[in-house]
Amino acid sequence: PDHLQKDPTPTQIQDLHLAVEDLCVFYGEAQALNHVSLSVKKGQTVAVLGSNGAGKTTLLRTLTGMLRPREGNIVFSGLNIEGKPPSEIIRKGIAIVPEGGELFGAMSVSDNLLLGTYPMSRSERKEKLSARLKTAFDTFPILKSRLSQKAETLSGGERQMLAVARALMSNPELVALDEPSLGLSPLLVTEMMRLLKNVCSNMSISILLVEQNAKAALKIADYAYVLERGEVSFQGSGREVVSNPSIYSAYLGG
């Protein structure tokens, strides 16, 4: 289709942080992703939009090694990572914030943050822990006053902040987030998106933002892909997505 861009040139490929090429993923014989291609440049915020069942979470699960693709490549910082175990992918520099955060509710905020450093060796943890904590508290100051609290006692917004802060503790190059606005009030959604944009610019981290809340995601996205029934149906800058009448009516309440 004419709204899909041509393949990137060799020069553009050098700028890519993440390149997903012709990804096909199945659950048994049911195809969940059909030749999906997308890319994230260094320091870029890229949104993946789509309704429930479009394939957004399947894409994230494949990217982070929880699912194996039947076809296609995933290249991160020049290395093929498709089919690698999640622990290895995290060590390569990709962190995921799963839907709902998946925190350990009975553990303290402090212990949840420390769990984010598990990809590091003991010596690396000793050397870098204080700097990582400072970054987390600079980004989400409220967490510093909640350190001894159990995660399950936090508000919805604070839990989502903790989930993102825990991901940052592994010192990632790219953070992939699955529905970070889920369950948050409109005001908190706006605040969360602002904080994510700050993380991206201040820490030179790339962000892959999987969201059903297209309106919120497009406020911070440099580029966006729309998934429908496991295929990329549209891609473009945030402005191009917003100005497309069919996308606007389907996802932005027009």
Side-chain angles (χ1 to χ4, degrees), residues 18 33 45 63 114 149 177 190 196 198 200 225 234 237 239:
L18 174 72
L33 295 179
T45 298
L63 172 65
L114 289 175
Q149 258 183 256
L177 302 105
T190 301
L196 289 176
N198 286 350
C200 191
Y225 295 83
F234 189 88
S237 66
R239 188 177 297 173

Side-chain angles (χ1 to χ4, degrees), residues 14-150:
Q14 288 175 1
D15 295 333
L16 296 184
H17 212 176
L18 174 72
V20 175
E21 303 161 347
D22 284 323
L23 210 60
C24 293
V25 180
F26 289 74
Y27 291 103
E29 291 308 307
Q31 188 161 11
L33 295 179
N34 183 22
H35 294 283
V36 167
S37 296
L38 60 85
S39 60
V40 182
K41 293 179 181 176
K42 290 179 180 176
Q44 195 177 38
T45 298
V46 171
V48 178
L49 311 173
S51 55
N52 271 335
K56 305 187 307 297
T57 297
T58 298
L59 174 66
L60 274 195
R61 287 170 64 84
T62 309
L63 172 65
T64 52
M66 288 181 272
L67 289 173
R68 282 180 173 267
R70 193 173 290 185
E71 291 179 44
N73 299 310
I74 304 172
V75 180
F76 178 67
S77 294
L79 299 170
N80 274 74
I81 62 168
E82 75 276 354
K84 304 277 188 198
S87 57
E88 189 175 332
I89 289 172
I90 289 170
R91 288 189 179 93
K92 299 283 186 203
I94 296 178
I96 185 169
V97 180
E99 185 180 315
E102 291 187 9
L103 299 169
F104 291 88
M107 292 172 63
S108 68
V109 168
S110 177
D111 286 343
N112 270 279
L113 286 172
L114 289 175
L115 281 172
T117 66
Y118 84 89
M120 293 189 279
S121 65
R122 186 176 294 180
S123 60
E124 191 182 8
R125 191 179 294 117
K126 189 175 180 181
E127 179 190 339
K128 297 181 177 177
L129 180 60
S130 59
R132 301 277 171 86
L133 285 170
K134 182 180 185 304
T135 298
F137 298 147
D138 285 349
T139 310
F140 303 108
I142 190 71
L143 296 180
K144 195 169 187 178
S145 61
R146 302 277 194 270
L147 279 179
S148 58
Q149 258 183 256
K150 288 184 178 180

Side-chain angles (χ1 to χ4, degrees), residues 152-166:
E152 63 193 8
T153 68
L154 300 177
S155 69
E158 289 166 350
R159 284 198 296 272
Q160 194 59 269
M161 289 177 192
L162 177 55
V164 176
R166 183 181 63 184

